[in-house]
């Protein structure tokens, strides 16, 4: 990465950059470099993804695959993030990937990218907050011997979403403070968890076990295939770093701070996540008992075996709070995307979702859209546990392709692509090519069968989810997108329309 200017120049004003892109500045620009980094780090949330899918990793390749794919996928994700950051610097808007795709490839590219990114963000909120509700249920079982039920978990899930809606409605200043706390909470949490698991056990697993042991409960016999699908642990966790782009219109010096925040969130998560997973593996006492724990949360069983009930509950609380921070940050990112996509007239009811509260300078209605829709997405879990897998699939296969599309289109532009002040320079093309290839491969891997025999409970819904998302985008493009969709300055009248900017209120 480099700054192209060889002499000191005055950076362009943030609002002037937006106006040059055809956008009227409306949001409150109070976020700094650390705040921008903090929202992506909070959304990646290694204490959420790493913990939620730890049990999946134990059965899909075991320690060697868990740590090996974490290293490989983390490194490749960093290349994707750097390539996307280059494009973010040129187009620092709340729309994120869809805005970049439209500017670089045209309306249809923007439309499809936007719908995939939107569904991915909404699926992420549902997956993160429902996962937090499940962890709270596990804590309640340890603390009060309350057996979690689907209805009870759904009730907790709804309460978490309501909390996140209220916090995000208060304005970006509070969101920034919470995200900043989240960074230190997560890093301190990893240190406390790993430190405790290092000092407390009388026995630890050997180095050979942690770095070489292979365990396969998938029903598939080929180790390479098992390693591929075992990469879901890392692949799912390394999602959401586009949050730095979605809050770019609220970030000072966004052309530099947003790409910096994105890249930094990835490499810090990469290092801290490796330490966390290795620490859990070294401390694990009984492999089979951990997999089949009555709590439903394998890391909780490790905590129980090492520390007893009181210590386990304390560490579990650390993880739960981190998950709540993560979900809150994801709501912030998704609401900005909804706001931006609506000012392009892409969503039904777009006039409402693009409105900005005059007092807080926050797209409040978009915030509640980002709360209500994920709750509806998760309702099928009441009737089928397999539905949660479909929700996480929406997140993974929706978001990751949208990271590669702007990079691909920028490469296709060749010399006509004009980077911003944060750029990879001569490394843009080789890094970008590797990034695009990785995005294609990991998207296919996410859609592969993960266990056999294949049943409704074990079926991988990612491929179906991707097809449904693309079908939805196609139908909406044909029925209204070709006619209505266009990038336009928010708060200004579009052709054939009276101005609808909210003067205030909800």
């Amino acid at each position: 990465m480099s700054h192209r200017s060889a002499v000191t120049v005055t950076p362009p004003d943030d609002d002037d950059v937006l106006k040059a892109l055809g956008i009227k500045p409306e949001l409150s620009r109070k976020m700094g470099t650390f705040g921008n980094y903090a929202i992506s780090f909070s959304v990646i949330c290694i204490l959420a993804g790493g913990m939620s899918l730890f049990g999946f990793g134990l059965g899909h390749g075991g320690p060697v695959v868990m740590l090996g794919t974490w290293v490989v996928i983390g490194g490749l994700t960093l290349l994707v993030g750097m390539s996307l950051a280059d494009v973010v610097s040129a187009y620092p808007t709340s729309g994120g990937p869809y805005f970049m795709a439209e500017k670089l490839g045209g309306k249809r590219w923007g439309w499809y990218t936007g719908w995939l990114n939107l569904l991915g963000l909404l699926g992420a909120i549902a997956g993160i907050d429902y996962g937090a509700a499940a962890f709270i249920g596990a804590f309640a079982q340890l603390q009060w011997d309350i057996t979690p039920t689907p209805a009870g978990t759904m009730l907790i899930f709804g309460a978490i979403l309501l909390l996140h809606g209220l916090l995000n409605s208060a304005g970006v200043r509070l969101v920034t403070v919470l995200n900043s706390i989240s960074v230190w909470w997560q890093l301190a949490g990893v240190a406390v968890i790993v430190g405790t698991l290092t000092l407390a056990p009388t026995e630890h697993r050997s180095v050979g076990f942690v770095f070489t042991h292979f365990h396969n409960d998938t029903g598939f016999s080929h180790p390479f295939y098992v390693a591929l699908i075992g990469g879901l642990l890392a692949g799912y966790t390394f999602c959401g770093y586009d949050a730095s782009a979605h809050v770019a219109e609220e970030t000072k010096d966004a052309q530099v701070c947003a790409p910096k925040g994105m890249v930094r969130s990835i490499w810090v998560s990469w290092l801290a996540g490796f330490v966390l997973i290795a620490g859990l593996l070294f401390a694990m006492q009984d492999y089979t008992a951990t997999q089949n724990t009555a709590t439903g949360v394998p890391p909780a069983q490790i905590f129980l075996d090492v520390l007893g009930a009181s210590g386990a509950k304390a560490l579990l609380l650390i993880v739960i709070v981190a998950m709540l921070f993560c979900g809150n940050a994801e709501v912030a990112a998704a609401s900005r995307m909804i706001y931006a996509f609506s000012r392009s007239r892409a969503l039904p009811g777009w006039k409402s979702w693009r409105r900005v509260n005059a007092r807080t300078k926050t797209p409040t209605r978009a915030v509640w859209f980002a709360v209500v829709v994920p709750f509806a997405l998760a309702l099928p879990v009441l009737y089928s546990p397999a539905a949660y897998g479909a929700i996480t699939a929406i997140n993974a296969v929706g978001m990751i392709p949208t990271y590669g599309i702007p990079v691909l289109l920028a490469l296709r532009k060749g010399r006509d692509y004009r980077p911003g002040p944060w750029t990879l320079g001569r490394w843009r093309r080789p890094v970008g090519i590797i990034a695009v290839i990785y995005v294609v491969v990991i998207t296919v891997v996410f859609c592969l069968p993960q266990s056999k025999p294949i049943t409704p409970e074990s079926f991988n819904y990612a491929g179906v989810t991707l097809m449904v998302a693309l079908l939805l985008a196609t139908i909406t493009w044909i029925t209204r997108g070709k006619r209505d969709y266009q990038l336009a300055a928010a708060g200004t009248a579009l052709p054939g329309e009276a101005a609808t900017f909210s003067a205030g209120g909800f």
Side-chain angles (χ1 to χ4, degrees):
M1 72 223 71
S2 64
H3 294 277
R4 289 180 293 124
S5 55
V7 296
T8 302
V9 296
T10 302
D13 179 78
D14 288 304
D15 289 348
D16 289 342
V17 173
L18 285 185
K19 291 172 185 175
L21 294 173
I23 295 174
K24 178 181 177 180
E26 290 185 296
L27 303 181
S28 177
R29 199 177 288 275
K30 296 180 179 179
M31 189 176 288
T33 305
F34 187 83
N36 186 280
Y37 148 72
I39 191 170
S40 282
F41 184 78
S42 297
V43 170
I44 292 174
C45 192
I46 54 175
L47 285 174
M51 292 291 192
S52 298
L53 287 174
F54 187 83
F56 176 90
L58 291 179
H60 290 72
V64 65
V65 170
M66 295 166 74
L67 289 176
T69 56
W70 187 272
V71 171
V72 173
I73 289 177
L76 290 169
T77 300
L78 183 59
L79 297 183
V80 177
M82 292 168 68
S83 298
L84 185 61
D86 191 297
V87 189
V88 170
S89 182
Y91 304 102
T93 75
S94 298
Y98 99 84
F99 188 96
M100 306 175 214
E102 163 130 356
K103 284 292 188 180
L104 294 168
K107 290 177 64 175
R108 186 173 296 189
W109 279 105
W111 181 269
Y112 277 84
T113 303
W115 275 101
L116 283 174
N117 192 236
L118 174 63
L119 292 172
L121 287 164
L122 295 174
I125 295 169
I128 291 163
D129 281 356
Y130 191 87
F135 268 68
I136 291 173
F139 178 85
Q141 185 178 40
L142 291 174
Q143 179 67 30
W144 301 293
D145 199 27
I146 298 174
T147 302
T149 64
T153 303
M154 187 62 65
L155 187 63
I156 297 170
F157 172 57
I160 293 171
L161 286 172
L162 177 61
L163 172 64
H164 288 161
L166 293 172
L167 291 173
N168 275 274
S169 296
V172 71
R173 189 185 296 274
L174 176 60
V175 171
T176 301
V177 170
L178 292 174
N179 289 335
S180 299
I181 296 172
S182 172
V183 172
W184 300 113
W185 183 273
Q186 284 197 61
L187 293 176
V190 170
V192 169
I193 290 171
V194 174
T196 302
L197 295 180
T198 300
L199 298 174
T202 55
E203 293 185 10
H204 290 88
R205 294 281 181 167
S206 68
V207 173
F209 170 85
V210 170
F211 291 100
T212 65
H213 182 70
F214 180 81
H215 186 93
N216 179 18
D217 294 328
T218 65
F220 297 103
S221 58
H222 201 292
F224 180 72
Y225 183 83
V226 175
L228 281 179
I229 57 178
L232 178 64
L233 166 61
Y236 171 75
T237 303
F238 284 112
C239 278
Y241 48 87
D242 59 322
S244 289
H246 291 304
V247 295
E249 291 180 34
E250 295 156 278
T251 301
K252 300 171 186 175
D253 192 17
Q255 287 190 290
V256 173
C257 292
K260 274 187 176 181
M262 180 180 295
V263 173
R264 183 181 177 190
S265 70
I266 295 170
W267 70 256
V268 175
S269 298
W270 187 22
L271 296 177
F274 183 87
V275 173
L276 175 65
I277 294 171
L280 287 167
L281 290 171
F282 272 115
M284 183 167 52
Q285 302 297 297
D286 187 316
Y287 204 107
T288 303
T290 300
Q291 286 184 286
N292 301 316
T293 175
T295 67
V297 178
Q301 188 61 48
I302 296 175
F303 300 159
L304 277 169
D305 291 341
V306 173
L307 301 169
S310 297
K313 286 183 285 187
L315 295 189
L316 206 55
L317 277 176
I318 292 175
V319 178
I320 290 169
V321 173
M323 288 180 163
L324 295 177
F325 278 131
C326 175
N328 190 66
E330 191 70 85
V331 169
S335 64
R336 273 53 175 184
M337 194 277 164
I338 293 163
Y339 155 76
F341 211 32
S342 295
R343 71 188 177 195
S344 297
R345 307 203 293 183
L347 295 179
W350 57 271
K351 292 182 182 180
S352 178
W353 311 125
R354 81 173 191 172
R355 292 190 176 185
V356 176
N357 185 294
R359 180 177 60 84
T360 62
K361 301 297 183 183
T362 297
T364 311
R365 294 191 181 188
V367 167
W368 291 103
F369 184 108
V371 166
V372 172
V373 174
F375 184 79
L377 285 175
L379 285 175
V381 179
L382 287 170
Y383 310 101
S384 170
Y388 183 69
I391 293 170
T392 57
I394 294 173
N395 175 19
V397 302
M399 294 180 75
I400 289 183
T402 66
Y403 301 159
I405 291 171
V407 176
L408 172 65
L409 295 175
L411 290 174
R412 195 178 69 168
K413 277 278 187 181
R415 295 182 180 273
D416 292 332
Y417 169 70
R418 298 182 63 183
W422 194 102
T423 175
L424 294 173
R426 62 190 178 91
W427 292 101
R428 185 190 315 115
R429 187 165 188 82
V431 172
I433 290 172
I434 295 171
V436 170
I437 293 172
Y438 165 72
V439 166
V440 172
V441 171
I442 196 67
T443 302
V444 172
V445 169
F446 277 150
C447 298
L448 296 174
Q450 295 171 351
S451 61
K452 70 175 187 180
I454 298 174
T455 66
E457 286 72 30
S458 66
F459 184 75
N460 182 5
Y461 290 91
V464 175
T465 301
L466 181 58
M467 292 300 104
V468 170
L470 292 173
L471 179 62
L472 175 63
T474 300
I475 293 173
T476 53
W477 171 257
I478 293 171
T479 56
R480 58 186 304 271
K482 288 194 292 186
R483 181 185 70 248
D484 298 333
Y485 173 66
Q486 56 186 290
L487 296 183
T492 60
L494 294 161
E497 174 214 350
T500 59
F501 175 59
S502 171
F506 174 62

